[in-house]
Amino acid sequence: MQSSTEIPRRIGLVGVGLMGHGIARNLLKAGHSLVFLDHPGNQPVDDLLAAGAEARATAREVAEGAEVVLLCVTGSPQVEAVLFAPDGVLAGLAPETVVVDCSTALPSSTAKVAARVAAAGGRFMDAAMTRTPKEAEEGRLNLIVGAPQPLFDELHPLLACFAENIAHAGEVSAGHTVKLLHNFVSLGFAAILAEATAASRRAGIDDEALLEVLGKGGGGGVVLERLRPFIASGDASGFRFSVANASKDLGYYHAMTDELGVARGLAEAVHALYAGVEDQSMAVPELIALLEKHS
């Protein structure tokens, strides 16, 4: 993680969830001031309040006085609601304030959102996140950014307070586009590994043997390493991403590919697997146990 070399900024944050809490913690650590939306979905915030953060009752109040407003919510409907509601961010947005959307969103919605932010006098950047809450707390997220080059350059030191790798994907909405491509690939690989593990166990293969062969061959990579603790010992904590979020992201991927008019046959099969899980609250690694039970 790099630290910000700029003067402290006034930051507003909507969404102090599993990822947003780590973002907030590292912004405060870097010396920025922070106000956040008080919301039932927040993680415990006592540590943030002790470090100087302040809670606000509405998104409008979060935006008032902020130089940068970060959104870390579930998806496009939530982004639009928090921005455009009567007491939303736009109601309190000062001229030239930057709205940074760190959610996973539909690119066509992102383009419309950016236009409305610009019409209200603000500036917009999509900065979709990858990695896990653990890396968020460590200030080591990956960000995929869609923004004009000058805005990307301006905000890079701020983003580096909570991100280790920051990729500039292109203009506005490019960050969300590449994030959906990334999640299709990673969730698709997770689905393949889950099915393979279930089949391996049914065949009586030792888990360690499977992990050794996959890890040193065509199955090696980040997704296998996140699944490895669950395969080896039933520990899903390294891949704290719910099946519900996977289903949502793959649904966005379907909508995007519809708009682009490109093939998505494999994505349909992957989406069907996740969407067909009865308990959508389970973590992605737990698909392995589910498939093993029903194989």
Side-chain angles (χ1 to χ4, degrees):
M1 181 186 70
Q2 304 174 35
S3 61
S4 175
T5 57
E6 60 185 358
I7 60 172
R9 293 193 183 227
R10 299 185 303 276
I11 310 297
L13 174 63
V14 178
V16 190
L18 289 172
M19 304 294 272
H21 183 277
I23 291 174
R25 178 176 174 273
N26 284 287
L27 286 169
L28 290 165
K29 185 178 178 181
H32 300 287
S33 66
L34 180 73
V35 299
F36 62 88
L37 180 65
D38 190 11
H39 190 276
N42 287 349
Q43 293 292 295
V45 296
D46 289 350
D47 61 328
L48 304 181
L49 296 171
E54 299 179 12
R56 295 288 185 268
T58 68
R60 173 183 57 79
E61 294 173 89
V62 169
E64 289 175 342
E67 298 170 82
V68 178
V69 177
L70 296 169
L71 309 180
C72 192
V73 296
T74 304
S76 291
Q78 293 77 20
V79 169
E80 294 177 13
V82 79
L83 284 173
F84 307 139
D87 244 354
V89 168
L90 257 60
L93 200 69
E96 295 301 305
T97 299
V98 184
V99 174
V100 180
D101 182 7
C102 294
S103 67
T104 300
L106 188 62
S108 57
S109 170
T110 300
K112 294 173 185 176
V113 163
R116 289 189 62 176
V117 169
R123 297 179 289 164
F124 182 88
M125 163 188 291
D126 45 302
M129 304 174 289
T130 68
R131 290 189 165 173
T132 71
K134 177 178 181 292
E135 283 91 14
E137 291 293 335
E138 295 169 348
R140 298 178 50 247
L141 287 172
N142 291 341
L143 295 180
I144 312 166
V145 177
Q149 187 69 51
L151 183 57
F152 176 78
D153 294 339
E154 177 187 337
L155 257 65
H156 190 280
L158 178 69
L159 301 178
C161 293
F162 57 89
E164 182 176 36
N165 300 301
I166 306 170
H168 187 203
E171 294 296 319
V172 166
S173 82
H176 283 153
T177 298
V178 176
K179 172 64 183 294
L180 293 182
L181 293 167
H182 169 275
N183 279 20
F184 165 53
V185 171
S186 60
L187 291 168
F189 193 27
I192 290 170
L193 288 169
E195 285 199 4
T197 302
S200 174
R201 288 176 172 175
R202 179 59 65 90
I205 303 300
D206 182 76
D207 287 338
E208 286 302 319
L210 178 68
L211 287 168
E212 180 181 3
V213 172
L214 290 178
K216 294 179 179 178
V222 171
V223 178
L224 178 64
E225 293 313 306
R226 289 186 180 164
L227 289 174
R228 182 184 291 274
F230 186 84
I231 296 171
S233 63
D235 178 7
S237 63
F239 200 158
R240 294 172 66 192
F241 194 75
S242 72
V243 170
N245 275 334
S247 298
K248 181 263 297 181
D249 290 0
L250 290 165
Y252 282 172
Y253 183 82
H254 276 207
M256 181 180 76
T257 51
D258 274 348
E259 293 169 357
L260 294 173
V262 298
R264 65 162 197 227
L266 291 175
E268 288 177 357
V270 173
H271 188 215
L273 173 62
Y274 287 99
V277 174
E278 184 175 349
D279 181 6
Q280 289 281 302
S281 67
M282 71 167 50
V284 167
E286 294 175 297
L287 280 175
I288 295 170
L290 185 68
L291 290 171
E292 184 184 5
K293 185 185 302 183
H294 293 291
S295 62

